[in-house]
Amino acid sequence: MRSSLLPTLALAATLTFPAFAADDAAKKPNDIKVVCATTSKDGSRAVQGTDLVIEAGDKVTDAVAVDGNVIIRKGARVDDAVAIRGRVIVEAGARVTGDAVSMGGEVRIQNGARVDGSAIALGGKLTVDKDGVIGGDRISLSFEIGGKDLLRGFIEEALEEETGCHIIDEDDEDDDKGEDKDV
């Protein structure tokens, strides 16, 4: 039996209220743009600060974008697609064999696209065109107060502290004797 996601999300939403109490003018502008990318030995791809585009014919285990979009083109296959502060766009003829998840952005399933697992948009919108197929759950959760989405704000506050890119490939850790590398 699957546990309900609602109590966890309700707790997360209540934790976001203090973040919205702060004065937006008091925040320091962050002019730093960090762009990082990696491909692991198991076929996973991850980027930060840019879009991750999976082209026709590509087969990717996990596609993850932080501060960017995951775009899956016609003829591409991805096991799981995750965008944090970005969108997951599954174009016509593309397939996600697992889940498509966006935290702080939109999940868009176009006509002729297929997601075998669940499509989840937390702090954003789930859009499924008429002929888009989702085999699992359809979840879109958003709480807006005063024109601000609380879940999106929570995600932004959680990621705001980190400005660097730290990508660790567990397979490479053995080679590097456990040394972490900052990129």
Side-chain angles (χ1 to χ4, degrees), residues 21-43:
D23 181 18
D24 288 338
K27 291 185 179 181
K28 296 177 184 175
N30 186 357
D31 294 332
I32 299 171
K33 179 172 177 158
V34 178
V35 177
C36 304
T38 188
T39 300
S40 71
K41 292 176 185 175
D42 73 349

Side-chain angles (χ1 to χ4, degrees), residues 143-177:
F143 297 113
E144 283 193 21
I145 294 180
K148 291 184 179 182
D149 188 284
L150 298 179
L151 292 175
R152 183 175 291 174
F154 177 70
I155 292 163
E156 288 175 358
E157 288 292 323
L159 291 176
E160 193 169 276
E161 296 292 321
E162 186 61 41
T163 60
C165 181
H166 311 283
I167 299 173
I168 300 172
D169 186 347
E170 292 178 8
D171 294 334
D172 290 341
E173 280 186 19
D174 295 335
D175 299 339
D176 298 332
K177 297 181 181 153

Side-chain angles (χ1 to χ4, degrees), residues 94-143:
R95 183 174 184 187
V96 176
T97 60
D99 298 329
V101 179
S102 175
M103 298 175 62
E106 174 187 21
V107 173
R108 173 79 189 263
I109 313 301
Q110 296 181 354
N111 283 325
R114 179 175 184 85
V115 175
D116 295 339
S118 298
I120 303 168
L122 301 176
K125 184 177 178 182
L126 172 61
T127 305
V128 183
D129 289 350
K130 183 178 178 182
D131 292 330
V133 176
I134 299 174
D137 295 329
R138 296 174 184 224
I139 300 171
S140 178
L141 185 59
S142 211
F143 297 113

Side-chain angles (χ1 to χ4, degrees), residues 63-116:
V64 179
V66 178
D67 292 328
N69 303 316
V70 176
I71 302 167
I72 305 163
R73 302 261 190 236
K74 178 180 182 176
R77 192 191 88 204
V78 174
D79 288 350
D80 291 304
V82 178
I84 301 171
R85 287 198 302 199
R87 300 181 298 165
V88 174
I89 301 168
V90 185
E91 294 183 350
R95 183 174 184 187
V96 176
T97 60
D99 298 329
V101 179
S102 175
M103 298 175 62
E106 174 187 21
V107 173
R108 173 79 189 263
I109 313 301
Q110 296 181 354
N111 283 325
R114 179 175 184 85
V115 175
D116 295 339

